[in-house]
Amino acid sequence: MTDSTLKLPKPGSAPPAFAGIGRAWGRVSPSLVPALAVLTAILITIPFMILTGGRGDIGRGLNIAGTAYAALVEGAMGLAVNDQVSADDFALVTTLANASNGLSQGDLRELARAVNDYGAAGAENARAYQAALAAFSGLDEDALTDIGESVEGLRAIGAETLDAMLPLITELEAADRGDVRALAETIRGDGAITPESRAAVTALAPAAEALDDDTLFAYMRFVDEYGIVRLSRFPERLASLDEREIALDAPALTTLAALTAENVPVDLAGAARVAGVVERLEATAITDVGALSSQIAQLRGLYEGELLTVEDVSTAIRDQLPAALADNLIVRRPGDRLIIDRANAPFGAVLGDANTPDDPADDRIDVAYLRLPGAALLFFPANLESMIVRSIPFIIAGLAVALGFKAGLFNIGAEGQLYAGATVAVWVGFSPLFAQLPALIHIPLVIVAGIFGGALWGAIPGLLKAYTGAHEVIVTIMLNYIAVLIVDWLIKSTAPILLLDPTASTPRTPFIDAAAALPRFSTIPAWLFLLAGALTALFTFLTHRESIRQTPGAAVRPLALGVLVAGGGLFLQWIAVRNALHVGFVVMLLAVWFTDWFLSRTTLGFELRTVGANPDAARYAGMSVPRNIVLALAMSGALAGLAGTIEVSGVQLNMQPEFFSGLGFDAIAVALLARNNIRSMIAAGLLWGSLLTGAGLMQLRADISIDLVKIIQALIIMFIAADAIIRYLWAIPKTAEKTSVSTFSKGWGG
């Protein structure tokens, strides 16, 4: 008889489905620690945005965070999703145009300025501006400014006092202004009228003789505070107010004074524009002035794009706008800019402004798009190009630091090794000794020279570590300062001139020869990428022909690699719209491949890793620990020198003092982010470059300090170094992963 008793799970145990999810998470999550560290760092910064930018308003803070990180992605990857313009987007401006007695295209610019000023002032202030300017109708802007700037003084002195002062003011105005100013300063400094000062004032203005000491002192204090020239104009300003029956304490006068003060959001000209639209906005019950301003800006963009041509705005919106929206892709960008493509296609591209119809060579894509329901996925290739160019040195320098980690050495000297390699490379690049070399020889020579310079600088701490026991951390830190200062001296030295370009306005080396500069992807013929793909496929096929013979399906791999190489090259050429992406990207890929191959496939690489893991065991096995220490730091320096060489020969084409400030230390962060995994270095370097590249657009769009990126970077490194925090937050099993990061340092004694 079967037991049909229902078996319940033990108290506290997870249901089978959740247990399966937990086991799957335990297998997958350890490899996600770096990604989760990045995600956690991003999430932690959101509360800071709520408290600062949002000022405690959660909704506003989340909106700022969304804007910031969307801008960060767009600035780094070139990807953005923006809404398509629809007829509903012009509801407010349509209402305003219909209510106006004729609104023309020419009126839109002035209307946009007036609405922006209205939004800056606010509805209450806008009505005050209207009332104030109505009270002073007939006066030009200069006269209004004079009255506004006089309000403070008129109120401080008072009408009666000013009338009583008039004889004194008239006589002092006729005297020498320097004498009057000096006398007024003396009296105010004395704090009272002395017989000497009374005699001096009376000599300049006989009307002072009839005034007692206290009254004369008060009058001369006003002379000192406002100046006799300005003071002499006050009676005229007061008379103008009397004619208009405006009292000194009138609100209109207060408003006018505010409009003529410094650092005000709306000046007199803006107030006049505001006064002109107050009634129009209130008559149409438009309260969302920001939305109205945005719609006006978009409408002007449609006129500039010649999608609207009828002068009357109401007619253009009614008759032309529906067809314009149906026949064109019109996407609204931040800042109310429009992307317009007249091709009514599900996907396409818009060329840049520099494109000329008669020259296909300058066809550069500004943005590519994919239509979505009510929106469009946009891709700006220039942003991705900039990010890749900026990431290349981080990846190569990160390899340099990681190679040292593999040998159990903490190479903090990547900064100095960058300088050493770049200095040798830039000299080979501009020296007359190599000026006649063709690019096929000159470029490799520059790269080899940079590698040699970095290797030499890296070998110094290696030798000291291996044969004297000097700790590599101390030595490499000191060598950083030495390298930076030597380069500073070489470039700035004028007697004799060593590396300085005497024709430059700032200290720098001469530009390297054109034959020494790394080629740009945009200048490489497309057939070369196809040839590279075919050769890659052929090489892979030949090296794996035995396995392919046994398993014919394995032939897909060479074909896939060939397509990847050819397609990747063509894609990089397509995004090189700024002519900035250089073949240093290929050199970087080769450096990653070579470093991985050296460490995992060669005897020297095995010895190096063994020395890093256990130098005593390596010594017992007959491996030379000193030789491997020198080799590791020399190769680490060579990679750092290569990073510096790529930067000077591919980006700047010259070298300046403090050229690589901070790059070598960022390399440590990149190596840690990759968790010392050579193959992960590309992703880590691209992430680092993305943060730095997208920071500027993030600051512009969300009005957030660019230092937020530095905070994110610091949090990422903290979470990578102390991954127990991430493991706890994301419930990652403690024993599921054996860390791949070698021991950085064996102690101060070696």
Side-chain angles (χ1 to χ4, degrees):
M1 182 175 178
T2 58
D3 185 4
S4 59
T5 304
L6 179 63
K7 294 183 179 180
L8 298 175
K10 295 180 180 180
S13 63
F18 290 103
I21 295 174
R23 287 191 296 271
W25 178 248
R27 290 192 299 270
V28 174
S29 58
S31 61
L32 299 178
V33 168
L36 293 175
V38 174
L39 178 60
T40 305
I42 290 174
L43 292 176
I44 284 179
T45 57
I46 294 178
F48 289 102
M49 296 189 210
I50 294 174
L51 293 175
T52 55
R55 299 189 180 184
D57 186 329
I58 296 178
R60 181 181 177 187
L62 292 176
N63 183 60
I64 292 174
T67 301
Y69 288 124
L72 189 65
V73 171
E74 181 182 334
M77 305 296 295
L79 295 174
V81 176
N82 293 132
D83 294 333
Q84 294 187 47
V85 175
S86 67
D88 294 337
D89 293 332
F90 300 96
L92 295 179
V93 71
T94 301
T95 300
L96 186 63
N98 292 336
S100 302
N101 294 324
L103 180 62
S104 68
Q105 174 192 352
D107 297 331
L108 287 178
R109 181 175 181 273
E110 193 65 21
L111 178 62
R113 297 179 65 187
V115 171
N116 288 335
D117 289 333
Y118 184 99
E124 183 177 349
N125 285 334
R127 287 189 290 270
Y129 298 160
Q130 185 185 38
L133 295 180
F136 292 98
S137 62
L139 296 181
D140 58 22
E141 186 174 340
D142 291 338
L144 289 173
T145 301
D146 288 341
I147 293 175
E149 292 176 347
S150 303
V151 170
E152 180 185 356
L154 290 172
R155 286 177 172 174
I157 298 173
E160 294 182 0
T161 302
L162 190 61
D163 287 339
M165 285 182 64
L166 188 56
L168 180 67
I169 292 173
T170 302
E171 294 177 350
L172 289 177
E173 185 185 11
D176 183 86
R177 294 176 184 175
D179 293 342
V180 173
R181 181 172 58 252
L183 182 56
E185 290 177 355
T186 301
I187 292 174
R188 188 165 187 175
D190 292 341
I193 295 294
T194 63
E196 294 79 7
S197 60
R198 172 174 282 280
V201 175
T202 303
L204 296 176
E209 188 174 359
L211 303 175
D212 59 63
D213 288 350
D214 292 338
T215 302
L216 182 59
F217 175 76
Y219 290 177
M220 293 304 294
R221 189 186 56 171
F222 289 135
V223 172
D224 177 62
E225 184 172 355
Y226 298 105
I228 190 59
V229 175
R230 186 181 176 192
L231 199 60
S232 65
R233 296 174 182 169
F234 280 2
E236 181 183 350
R237 305 288 176 261
L238 187 60
S240 177
L241 295 177
D242 290 339
E243 289 176 6
R244 296 173 180 272
E245 298 181 353
I246 298 176
L248 286 178
D249 58 352
L253 203 57
T254 302
T255 301
L256 188 62
L259 290 172
T260 55
E262 295 182 359
N263 302 320
V264 292
V266 178
D267 57 10
L268 274 170
R273 289 191 291 267
V274 169
V277 299
V278 169
E279 293 182 358
R280 296 168 69 182
L281 294 178
E282 293 185 348
T284 54
I286 294 177
T287 57
D288 193 345
V289 181
L292 176 61
S293 176
S294 175
Q295 293 181 19
I296 294 173
Q298 293 173 53
L299 193 64
R300 293 179 64 198
L302 293 178
Y303 271 108
E304 291 172 1
E306 298 182 351
L307 297 183
L308 300 181
T309 57
V310 176
E311 183 68 16
D312 182 70
V313 172
S314 297
T315 305
I317 292 175
R318 184 184 66 248
D319 298 341
Q320 292 186 309
L321 182 61
L325 296 177
D327 299 339
N328 303 274
L329 173 76
I330 307 174
V331 180
R332 182 175 62 254
R333 296 279 294 141
D336 298 317
R337 295 180 296 112
L338 298 181
I339 291 177
I340 300 174
D341 188 19
R342 298 179 184 275
N344 192 10
F347 58 87
V350 179
L351 299 180
D353 295 335
N355 173 61
T356 54
D358 300 331
D359 186 7
D362 64 1
D363 288 353
R364 293 288 184 264
I365 293 176
D366 183 47
V367 57
Y369 65 85
L370 173 66
R371 281 182 181 265
L372 301 174
L377 174 63
L378 305 177
F379 172 58
F380 298 89
N383 294 2
L384 181 60
E385 178 189 15
S386 298
M387 185 273 286
I388 293 175
V389 171
R390 190 160 190 179
S391 300
I392 290 172
F394 291 124
I395 296 171
I396 302 177
L399 287 175
V401 176
L403 190 82
F405 286 168
K406 291 289 188 180
L409 302 169
F410 199 171
N411 178 18
I412 300 186
E415 185 94 353
Q417 294 149 19
L418 278 161
Y419 275 92
T423 303
V424 179
V426 79
W427 178 77
V428 173
F430 74 76
S431 174
L433 296 175
F434 310 100
Q436 303 304 318
L437 292 177
L440 196 62
I441 298 176
H442 206 172
I443 292 173
L445 185 62
V446 168
I447 293 175
V448 170
I451 291 173
F452 175 77
L456 182 63
W457 205 256
I460 296 173
L463 291 168
L464 293 175
K465 169 78 173 181
Y467 297 106
T468 70
H471 201 282
E472 75 276 6
V473 171
I474 298 298
V475 176
T476 51
I477 289 176
M478 295 300 103
L479 284 174
N480 283 339
Y481 289 105
I482 294 172
V484 172
L485 294 176
I486 286 178
V487 170
D488 186 82
W489 169 68
L490 289 173
I491 294 178
K492 293 182 179 179
S493 175
T494 56
I497 292 177
L498 299 173
L499 295 182
L500 176 69
D501 182 358
T503 64
S505 58
T506 58
R508 63 166 176 80
T509 68
F511 284 96
I512 64 174
D513 295 338
L518 292 174
R520 269 42 181 177
F521 270 86
S522 58
T523 63
I524 300 175
W527 63 265
L528 278 180
F529 298 114
L530 299 176
L531 178 62
L535 293 176
T536 301
L538 179 62
F539 176 78
T540 308
F541 181 84
L542 293 176
T543 54
H544 295 82
R545 59 182 179 274
E546 292 299 328
S547 60
I548 293 174
R549 185 179 295 112
Q550 297 175 4
T551 310
V556 175
R557 182 182 179 187
L559 293 175
L561 286 176
V563 171
L564 180 63
V565 170
L570 293 173
F571 175 75
L572 292 175
Q573 185 183 55
W574 180 66
I575 67 171
V577 295
R578 292 182 178 173
N579 200 31
L581 184 57
H582 50 76
V583 297
F585 180 81
V586 178
V587 177
M588 176 269 292
L589 294 177
L590 293 175
V592 173
W593 171 83
F594 173 79
T595 306
D596 184 62
W597 172 82
F598 173 79
L599 290 173
S600 60
R601 300 295 182 89
T602 66
T603 302
L604 287 176
F606 172 75
E607 290 187 6
L608 188 147
R609 289 186 291 111
T610 304
V611 169
N614 192 328
D616 294 329
R619 191 179 294 109
Y620 181 78
M623 301 176 187
S624 174
V625 175
R627 185 194 69 186
N628 279 282
I629 289 174
V630 176
L631 176 64
L633 284 174
M635 290 189 65
S636 182
L639 287 169
L642 175 62
T645 301
I646 295 298
E647 195 69 6
V648 298
S649 62
V651 180
Q652 299 295 336
L653 307 181
N654 65 56
M655 192 170 176
Q656 303 172 14
E658 299 183 4
F659 187 60
F660 300 107
S661 181
L663 198 157
F665 296 103
D666 281 338
I668 300 173
V670 172
L672 291 174
L673 181 59
R675 297 177 70 80
N676 209 28
N677 187 318
I678 301 301
R679 297 180 182 180
S680 299
M681 204 64 63
I682 295 177
L686 288 175
L687 172 64
W688 211 255
S690 297
L691 291 173
L692 294 176
T693 306
L697 188 61
M698 180 193 71
Q699 182 182 34
L700 179 65
R701 293 271 178 83
D703 195 22
I704 288 179
S705 172
I706 202 170
D707 291 336
L708 176 67
V709 166
K710 297 180 181 179
I711 295 173
I712 293 174
Q713 290 175 324
L715 288 172
I716 290 173
I717 299 307
M718 183 185 73
F719 290 142
I720 292 294
D723 62 355
I725 300 174
I726 299 300
R727 293 178 180 276
Y728 174 78
L729 292 175
W730 296 91
I732 299 175
K734 294 182 180 180
T735 58
E737 178 196 22
K738 182 179 180 181
T739 179
S740 63
V741 181
S742 302
T743 303
F744 294 161
S745 178
K746 303 299 182 183
W748 297 106

